[in-house]
Amino acid sequence: MVDKAEKQARLQGRLEPEIREFRDRMRTLVLATVDDEGTPNVSYAPFALREDGYYILISELARHTRNLLANPKISLMMVEDEQGCHQLFARKRLTFDARPERVTRDTPEWQAGIAALTARLGDTVSGLGDFHLFRLVPLKGLFVKGFGQAFAVSGDDLVDVLHLTDGHKPVATAE
């Protein structure tokens, strides 16, 4: 008989490479931010992943940057392209609640973040003064593979994978 720990280890061993491959294929994050009055905004930004978080370089002219500077609450998502998915209602996606940290310009952390963005995406706009570098530190998340296939993931390199077992429920029909 397979015990719970062994089942969890097998699930993690199977899912972790799939999550990493999905994440590494993505070049942009969808960002959900909130302004200081609580009004939500959704946008996107190109990113680079380092061992300490997701790095984004965004202009203060953009609403999402002003939101992050006023209210450091953010959720991020990577989502399967519509063209390649089998079911629009169940697109593969990886989401995280994250802690944004503004990286001070001309520090070693700034240089490392800009180097990662440049290596991944090519030339950046880091020389423009209105651009801010943020490190988004993932806290907790969710990886969805399809219907009934949602898995809680941790922020620390996705090591804690837990299958969410409460599935979809059919609509009750009147007799």
Side-chain angles (χ1 to χ4, degrees):
M1 178 145 236
V2 178
D3 70 349
K4 189 174 181 177
E6 185 178 333
K7 186 177 179 182
Q8 176 68 19
R10 280 193 295 180
L11 178 63
Q12 181 172 331
R14 192 176 74 245
L15 281 177
E16 193 169 349
E18 183 177 350
I19 293 169
R20 287 177 191 271
E21 186 275 329
F22 176 75
R23 179 199 63 205
D24 293 346
R25 232 183 27 243
M26 299 296 133
R27 295 170 43 100
T28 61
L29 300 171
V30 177
L31 305 172
T33 60
V34 180
D35 69 16
D36 56 356
E37 296 177 3
T39 305
N41 176 247
V42 66
S43 59
Y44 85 97
F47 77 95
L49 180 63
R50 298 190 71 235
E51 63 281 348
D52 58 349
Y54 294 83
Y55 282 77
I56 60 173
L57 184 65
I58 52 180
S59 169
E60 66 189 42
L61 299 175
R63 187 172 165 194
H64 56 238
T65 306
R66 294 189 311 270
N67 288 353
L68 280 178
L69 293 171
N71 185 353
K73 292 185 179 183
I74 190 167
S75 180
L76 57 95
M77 177 174 71
M78 290 156 270
V79 62
E80 178 182 25
D81 187 273
E82 290 179 10
Q83 303 303 317
C85 76
H86 297 292
Q87 173 53 264
L88 285 176
F89 286 101
R91 287 165 64 189
K92 189 181 289 189
R93 58 203 175 270
L94 178 61
T95 60
F96 283 106
D97 293 336
R99 182 182 70 247
E101 298 173 352
R102 187 171 165 207
V103 179
T104 304
R105 190 176 284 270
D106 298 323
T107 61
E109 294 81 14
W110 170 276
Q111 299 302 328
I114 295 300
L117 284 163
T118 301
R120 184 147 199 257
L121 305 168
D123 288 337
T124 68
V125 290
S126 59
L128 299 176
D130 66 303
F131 276 76
H132 299 273
L133 182 65
F134 284 90
R135 174 180 35 248
L136 308 177
V137 180
L139 303 172
K140 62 180 180 174
L142 187 68
F143 179 61
V144 177
K145 289 179 57 168
F147 288 123
Q149 297 179 71
F151 303 89
V153 295
S154 70
D156 60 347
D157 207 21
L158 311 174
V159 294
D160 298 326
V161 178
L162 175 65
H163 187 212
L164 303 178
T165 55
D166 290 337
H168 298 285
K169 296 172 179 53
V171 173
T173 57
E175 290 186 40

